[in-house]
Amino acid sequence: MTGGTIRGLGVSPGVVGAPLARLAPPVRTSPADPVTESPEGALARVEWALGAVAAQMAERADRVGGVAAEILITTSAMAADPSLVSAAAEQLRAGQPTGHAVTLAVEGFCAQLEAHGGYLAERVTDLRDIGARAVALLAGVPMPGVPAPGHPVVLAARDLSPADTATLAGSDVVALLTEEGGPTSHTAILAKSLGLPAVVGCPASAELPDGEFVLVDGSTGEVRVGPDAMGGVRTGSVGNGPVGTGPVTSATGPVTSAAEPAATGLVKSGTGPAATGPGRTRDGRPVALLSNVGTAADARAAAGSEAEGVGLFRTEFLFLGRRTQPGVDEQTEAYAEVLRAFGNRPVVVRTLDAGSDKPLPFLRLGAEENPALGVRGLRTAIRYPETLADQLTAVTKAAHSVGRPVKVMAPMVATSAEAEHFVVIAREHGLDDVGVMIEVPAAALRAGELLDVVDFVSIGTNDLGQYTMAADRAAGALGHLLDPWQPALLDLVALVGAAGRARGKPVGVCGEAASDPLLAAVLVGLGVTSLSMAPVARPAVFAELRGLATEDCAAIAEAARSGVGADQARDRARTVRDERWSVRP
Ligand code: PEP
Ligand code: MG
């Protein structure tokens, strides 16, 4: 393909252009690979490959700084360790093919590290990454994992695992483009939290060659390719606010401004109120606009915004890829960092949502036919009660050390009995503000029962949408079913909102639905009392709510629910909104 436009789902706003680079798969080696060089010649090349990997890691460390730099420096030192070369030399002398000699040398060290357990066992992933990179260099193919060519790239992949996306911070990647993935996939969520424009569910991107210049519009889902992508200034938009972007300047250098917050344009252009102060409707009804965070870095960035607190701290994001369970002290420090960043603002810590699309290797859940319907979220605590107990101990200790209260909630709760079980354990740990997520239709249908035993609920519209529509949230082809405007999903939210109102208990939304300004108004109209989102989305949601009174939100919600299908729901809501939206003089 040498030009034209392809389309997917825009899931993280911003417009950016750069050459495309693919997430390459690791090269598999085998003892049956051909032996094409002498052991001496092969050894010289192995030394060269490992040295090159070490140099590349050190160079990346210089660029990123912080904790990521420390990890890269350690990894670089491992790659440069002469004992790795000696182990590979031994395998070469035994007649192994070059690449496989490296694999065997690396696996030998991995076995030793794993036998030590603890911190050393954690280095196994890094060591395997070194081996995979060296093997790719020896084979003359692109290095596996997130590419690091030293200039900005748009990362293309079939889909990205949470572990892949977790390594994107500080990398060369300026936008994401995936063949699969839905609007609520973790690729979408992480892209938003990193401020990376992203287009998912774009099967045509599979045809694009490496190095092709692409201009990705994470708002509209449009991807311009080749010469068409280099056509000058582009403007994208999300919600109500234009996203201004700079000119395309070069095929390999930094190209346009990335995800400028959607509503920045709205606020700058003076068409809406400045996004300062707490979230509320035009008639003064408070709707706390909170942040979703997954790491301490996220939390520091979000704390610098107007966010009124954290509505969802995805703790499992701290431990993706970990083979050993983090101890109480390590967890305490990690949680304390997030609490500290937010000072007196409330923070809701979600207990580990492991399993299915967010596997935590240290929780061995075994192979499941249907992991999204299997042991995940709070269900893992039945098999590993001590993991939940340790986490709650760490949360309590973190709150004490920072000298402030904290809220906790459990993911993937289906019944009030499960909710009550969690509440009892949390209270035993001294936690007195305890909630659960509503992500399973059964929990939404019986929300009143759940609310009777918890202090608050938070609706996870990503999973609630997936389970309501029986559509895998990572499946790009099912994007229309996963549209959070599906009236069936809105009906479930309405049930939860009504149950919350009847009991005077808070009902939040922390799924991606909260970051769509018009849908946010619908949610408020359905009785939702707080909305939690990526910080980039807050200004547009803030501005939208400031222009609508509570009764307007209710009318918009009613219009949405009267629609047949997501598109009609959206259109009807838009019509009523346009009649009613106004900024108080
Ligand atoms: C959700 O399901 O809406 C949610 C917020 O949880 P997660 O996206 O982390 O599964
Ligand atoms: Mg969820």
Side-chain angles (χ1 to χ4, degrees), residues 198-227:
V199 171
V200 304
C202 181
S205 64
E207 307 301 322
L208 300 176
D210 253 45
E212 179 78 275
F213 190 85
V214 289
L215 188 72
V216 174
D217 186 332
S219 306
T220 63
E222 199 177 276
V223 181
R224 294 223 243 155
V225 181

Side-chain angles (χ1 to χ4, degrees), residues 207-500:
E207 307 301 322
L208 300 176
D210 253 45
E212 179 78 275
F213 190 85
V214 289
L215 188 72
V216 174
D217 186 332
S219 306
T220 63
E222 199 177 276
V223 181
R224 294 223 243 155
V225 181
D228 290 348
M230 298 172 161
V233 180
R234 294 265 301 112
T235 301
S237 74
V238 122
N240 305 327
V243 182
T245 59
V248 177
T249 54
S250 121
T252 52
V255 180
T256 68
S257 69
E260 189 177 340
T264 307
L266 183 148
V267 174
K268 274 188 198 149
S269 68
T271 56
T276 53
R280 59 180 163 79
T281 54
R282 196 176 64 219
D283 56 335
R285 179 172 162 211
V287 181
L289 300 182
L290 310 161
S291 278
N292 290 351
V293 303
T295 61
D298 277 3
R300 281 190 295 273
S305 76
E306 289 279 321
E308 289 146 70
V310 172
L312 170 62
F313 173 13
R314 291 183 163 101
T315 53
E316 66 281 356
F317 279 13
L318 292 170
F319 308 119
L320 290 170
R322 287 285 296 254
R323 302 168 74 82
T324 51
Q325 186 166 321
V328 170
D329 289 348
E330 184 185 349
Q331 290 190 56
T332 303
E333 189 36 48
Y335 306 149
E337 254 190 280
V338 172
L339 296 182
R340 223 174 276 126
F342 270 83
N344 289 328
R345 289 175 276 179
V347 173
V348 180
V349 178
R350 178 174 74 181
T351 53
L352 294 175
D353 187 15
S356 186
D357 53 343
K358 288 172 282 189
L360 292 180
F362 63 84
L363 283 184
R364 292 184 214 294
L365 301 173
E368 292 178 307
E369 280 290 320
N370 234 330
L373 303 181
V375 179
R376 58 164 294 195
L378 184 62
R379 297 169 186 182
T380 62
I382 295 169
R383 197 171 300 178
Y384 296 106
E386 69 293 347
T387 301
L388 177 62
D390 281 0
Q391 183 170 31
L392 293 174
T393 303
V395 171
T396 312
K397 285 176 91 176
H400 284 155
S401 81
V402 177
R404 45 155 302 162
V406 65
K407 299 168 193 271
V408 285
M409 69 178 176
M412 286 297 295
V413 171
T415 65
S416 56
E418 288 176 357
E420 194 165 12
H421 178 67
F422 179 69
V423 171
V424 168
I425 299 175
R427 298 221 199 284
E428 278 168 11
H429 283 80
L431 294 156
D432 55 14
D433 206 343
V434 184
V436 293
M437 292 190 71
I438 304 276
E439 305 184 277
V440 178
L445 290 164
R446 308 296 293 210
E449 285 172 11
L450 273 78
L451 275 158
D452 284 340
V453 298
V454 299
D455 300 307
F456 66 93
V457 296
S458 184
I459 307 176
T461 47
N462 307 335
D463 276 314
L464 189 57
Q466 125 163 299
Y467 295 122
T468 301
M469 306 306 290
D472 183 342
R473 65 193 270 188
L478 302 179
H480 59 294
L481 292 175
L482 294 160
D483 188 330
W485 283 91
Q486 286 289 353
L489 177 61
L490 300 181
D491 285 352
L492 289 175
V493 173
L495 284 177
V496 185

